[in-house]
Amino acid sequence: YKGQPQGNKLVISLHLARCSARAAERKFWQVMDDKNVNKNINDIQMIGIYLNRISDMLFSIIRKNSKKKWIPLAKRKTNY
């Protein structure tokens, strides 16, 4: 594993969708950090929360559809 998504076609597609959702979320918060953006508008901030929830949902679907046994990060063996 060298940074490439693994699994069946569905899981790989979901990984790529999650990466896109995370990228959109990061870009959204960068725009929100701009001094000219009105940060008091709750509806606009809800977009960032929604984008975060999309990536959370995709992560859960990936775990459910992955054929491999899920190993928590703390128990994984690392090479470094």
Side-chain angles (χ1 to χ4, degrees), residues 17-31 47-48 51-52 54:
R18 182 170 182 258
C19 287
S20 295
R22 297 287 293 160
E25 180 189 1
R26 284 190 301 272
K27 187 65 174 176
F28 173 82
W29 290 116
Q30 283 176 350
V31 170
I47 294 169
L51 290 169
N52 180 266
I54 289 173

Side-chain angles (χ1 to χ4, degrees), residues 24-40 44-45 48:
E25 180 189 1
R26 284 190 301 272
K27 187 65 174 176
F28 173 82
W29 290 116
Q30 283 176 350
V31 170
M32 287 298 291
D33 284 342
D34 186 2
K35 296 186 187 322
N36 296 326
V37 174
N38 183 354
K39 296 178 176 93
N40 295 327
I44 292 176
Q45 291 182 343

Side-chain angles (χ1 to χ4, degrees), residues 53-70:
R53 295 298 175 247
I54 289 173
S55 65
D56 290 346
M57 178 194 66
L58 290 168
F59 181 76
S60 296
I61 295 170
I62 290 166
R63 287 188 61 184
K64 182 170 175 55
N65 288 287
S66 181
K67 292 182 180 181
K68 290 183 175 183
K69 180 182 175 189
W70 186 258

